[in-house]
Every structure is written in C-alpha cells, then in structure tokens.
Amino acid sequence: MTGWRPTLARSVVLRRDRFRRTDLLVLPERVVVLSGRAADVLRLCDGHRQVGEIVDELTERFPGAPVADEVPRFLNRVREEGWLR
C-alpha cells in the first residue's frame, strides 16, 4: 500500500444527505450509508495524498484514536469493494 494515493472510483460519488444527516457513497444502482468517521477518511482520498499522509492528517484531527491501524485496513476493504482506485 506504500505510495498508493487513493481516490474514489469514477463511478462513485461521496454525498451528504442533509435531510437524513448522513454521508452516502452513491454507486451505480446502489447507495451505501457511511457510519462513524468513514466519510472523514474518504474525503481525504483525493488522489494526491498517500495513505501515510491521510493517516497523519487523521491522527492530528483525532488524537488517541487507533488511526494508524484502522485507516489502512478500512481503505483496503473499500478498495476491494471497487469503490477506491
């Protein structure tokens, strides 16, 4: 995963549903409701930041959270789903 600069797949859109006050991943023929801080992580996946930079940013925002372990695992799962490239 070193050097990977994650970004949302072309067919995936991150949206905020203001009515329901939740974040969504909008995919072809499917919508995924995000929970916890998933949207915070995915918003940093801009294709410019490497995974380590995303981890550093989130460690700064959420001191004491297990970011170094959980974020790379989360990103890998999302990539396996085909939602990140």
Side-chain angles (χ1 to χ4, degrees), residues 6 9 39 41 44 52 56 60 79:
V41 176
L44 294 175
D56 291 345
E60 194 173 302
R79 179 165 60 173

Side-chain angles (χ1 to χ4, degrees), residues 6-57:
T7 187
L8 290 175
R10 288 185 177 99
S11 61
V12 178
V13 178
L14 177 61
R15 288 240 164 94
R16 178 77 181 162
D17 183 332
R18 292 183 193 148
F19 181 73
R20 293 183 184 106
R21 296 182 189 174
T22 190
D23 293 297
L24 310 169
L25 277 183
V26 181
L27 309 135
E29 301 181 25
R30 184 173 174 188
V31 174
V32 176
V33 178
L34 299 173
S35 62
R37 296 290 181 183
D40 292 324
V41 176
L42 293 175
R43 281 191 186 93
L44 294 175
C45 295
D46 58 9
H48 299 287
R49 294 178 179 97
Q50 291 183 354
V51 173
E53 294 170 306
I54 293 169
V55 167
D56 291 345
E57 172 74 24

Side-chain angles (χ1 to χ4, degrees), residues 51-72:
V51 173
E53 294 170 306
I54 293 169
V55 167
D56 291 345
E57 172 74 24
L58 292 168
T59 299
E60 194 173 302
R61 286 187 198 180
F62 306 106
V67 172
D69 293 328
E70 291 183 6
V71 169

